[in-house]
Amino acid sequence: MSLSELYQEVILDHGKNPRNLREMPDATHVAEGYNPLCGDQIKVFLRVAGDVVEDASFLGRGCAISQASASMMTQAIKGQTLAKAEELFENFRDAVTTQADGGCDHSSEPTFEDAFQDESLGVLSCLTGVRNYPNRIKCAVLAWHAMHSALHEGSKVTTE
Ligand code: ZN
């Protein structure tokens, strides 16, 4: 299986069977994101207790990449500390938006292992393949930006 096929498989799976696709009545942090370029809409719900993201969910509609990314984002940050969620946000955004990624050899077809080489991102690395499709990058980062603004504009966030 080529890397692009692997990307597609994971993204299609999350797109068809989104995880954590539900409203969260007891959310402590909520934010909405909209990507006018594609028409994607994502509403992110977070329940934060102390400095841990106890639960994460979303509602949304839009293209498969935006919905798959939201699904993967909620899975990635659930149970993480706020600091870790922030780190994932920054790593993901950088990986998706940075064309020149350090250390990655583009002279040969990447292997399956390469996809999971970046341990800080794990399966999220699958979505970094969208950096080859600039018009889809906003689709992929939408849910992450919504999560980020939910945490930073929420009433219970501290900067400590
Ligand atoms: Zn989209």
Side-chain angles (χ1 to χ4, degrees):
M1 188 186 286
S2 76
L3 189 62
S4 55
E5 283 169 341
L6 176 70
Y7 287 158
Q8 267 192 336
E9 196 129 310
V10 173
I11 292 168
L12 282 176
D13 177 48
H14 276 269
K16 277 184 196 160
N17 307 296
R19 278 55 152 195
N20 307 306
L21 180 66
R22 57 186 154 80
E23 204 165 351
M24 193 192 298
D26 58 346
T28 57
H29 299 71
V30 178
E32 286 180 76
Y34 177 56
N35 171 20
L37 281 180
C38 186
D40 307 317
Q41 287 179 299
I42 301 278
K43 188 171 185 180
V44 171
F45 302 87
L46 305 171
R47 191 174 72 239
V48 177
D51 70 341
V52 173
V53 181
E54 281 193 336
D55 199 7
S57 69
F58 78 102
L59 292 175
R61 62 165 185 257
C63 70
I65 288 180
S66 68
Q67 304 304 302
S69 181
S71 170
M72 294 168 81
M73 183 276 289
T74 56
Q75 277 203 316
I77 67 165
K78 200 193 271 195
Q80 305 286 0
T81 62
L82 293 175
K84 181 68 183 176
E86 182 78 4
E87 191 186 314
L88 283 168
F89 165 75
E90 284 172 9
N91 288 350
F92 182 77
R93 184 191 53 191
D94 291 350
V96 170
T97 57
T98 307
Q99 291 291 334
D101 47 333
C104 186
D105 182 4
H106 289 293
S107 62
S108 59
E109 177 77 2
T111 64
F112 182 90
E113 283 72 26
D114 287 337
F116 296 97
Q117 210 172 38
D118 188 345
E119 287 177 14
S120 66
L121 288 176
V123 72
L124 296 174
S125 300
C126 295
L127 273 170
T128 63
V130 301
R131 69 178 155 223
N132 299 317
Y133 307 92
N135 57 339
R136 308 317 295 274
I137 289 174
K138 287 191 192 309
C139 304
V141 298
L142 179 63
W144 288 87
H145 278 293
M147 178 275 284
H148 191 249
S149 70
L151 288 178
H152 285 267
E153 285 150 33
S155 56
K156 299 195 174 178
V157 170
T158 74
T159 53
E160 293 172 352

Coordinates of all heavy atoms in Angstrom, one line a residue, residues 35 37-40 62-66 135-136 138-140, ligand 1:
N35 N -14.9 27.4 7.2 CA -13.9 27.6 6.1 C -14.6 28.0 4.9 O -15.2 27.1 4.1 CB -13.2 26.2 5.9 CG -12.3 26.2 4.7 OD1 -11.9 27.3 4.2 ND2 -12.0 25.0 4.2
L37 N -13.7 28.9 2.0 CA -13.2 28.4 0.7 C -13.8 27.1 0.3 O -14.0 26.8 -0.9 CB -11.7 28.1 0.9 CG -10.7 29.3 0.8 CD1 -9.3 28.9 1.0 CD2 -10.9 30.1 -0.5
C38 N -14.2 26.3 1.3 CA -14.8 25.0 1.0 C -16.2 24.8 1.5 O -16.9 23.9 1.1 CB -13.9 23.9 1.6 SG -14.2 22.2 1.2
G39 N -16.6 25.7 2.4 CA -17.9 25.6 3.0 C -18.0 24.7 4.2 O -19.1 24.4 4.7
D40 N -16.8 24.3 4.7 CA -16.8 23.4 5.9 C -17.2 24.2 7.2 O -16.8 25.3 7.4 CB -15.4 22.9 6.1 CG -14.8 22.2 4.9 OD1 -15.6 21.5 4.2 OD2 -13.7 22.5 4.6
G62 N -19.4 19.3 5.9 CA -18.4 19.8 4.9 C -17.7 18.6 4.2 O -18.2 17.5 4.2
C63 N -16.5 18.9 3.7 CA -15.9 17.9 2.9 C -15.3 16.8 3.8 O -15.2 16.9 5.0 CB -14.7 18.5 2.1 SG -13.3 19.1 3.0
A64 N -14.9 15.7 3.2 CA -14.4 14.5 3.9 C -13.2 14.8 4.8 O -13.0 14.4 5.9 CB -14.1 13.3 3.0
I65 N -12.3 15.7 4.2 CA -11.1 16.0 4.9 C -11.4 16.8 6.2 O -10.8 16.5 7.3 CB -10.1 16.7 4.0 CG1 -9.5 15.7 3.0 CG2 -9.0 17.3 4.8 CD1 -8.5 16.3 2.0
S66 N -12.3 17.7 6.1 CA -12.6 18.5 7.3 C -13.3 17.7 8.4 O -12.9 17.9 9.5 CB -13.5 19.7 6.9 OG -14.8 19.3 6.5
N135 N -5.1 23.8 -1.4 CA -6.4 24.2 -1.2 C -7.2 23.4 -0.2 O -8.3 23.7 0.2 CB -7.2 24.3 -2.5 CG -7.2 23.0 -3.3 OD1 -6.4 22.1 -3.0 ND2 -8.2 22.8 -4.2
R136 N -6.6 22.3 0.2 CA -7.3 21.4 1.3 C -6.7 21.7 2.7 O -7.2 21.1 3.6 CB -7.1 19.9 0.9 CG -7.6 19.6 -0.5 CD -8.9 20.2 -0.9 NE -10.1 19.9 -0.1 CZ -10.8 18.8 -0.4 NH1 -10.5 18.0 -1.4 NH2 -11.9 18.6 0.3
K138 N -6.7 24.3 4.6 CA -7.7 24.9 5.5 C -8.8 23.9 6.0 O -9.3 24.1 7.1 CB -8.3 26.1 4.8 CG -7.4 27.3 4.7 CD -8.1 28.5 4.3 CE -7.2 29.7 3.9 NZ -6.2 30.0 4.8
C139 N -9.1 23.0 5.1 CA -10.1 21.9 5.5 C -9.5 21.1 6.7 O -10.2 20.8 7.6 CB -10.3 21.0 4.4 SG -10.9 21.8 2.9
A140 N -8.2 20.8 6.6 CA -7.6 19.9 7.6 C -7.4 20.6 8.9 O -7.4 20.0 10.0 CB -6.3 19.4 7.1
Ligands
ZN1 ZN -13.1 21.2 2.9

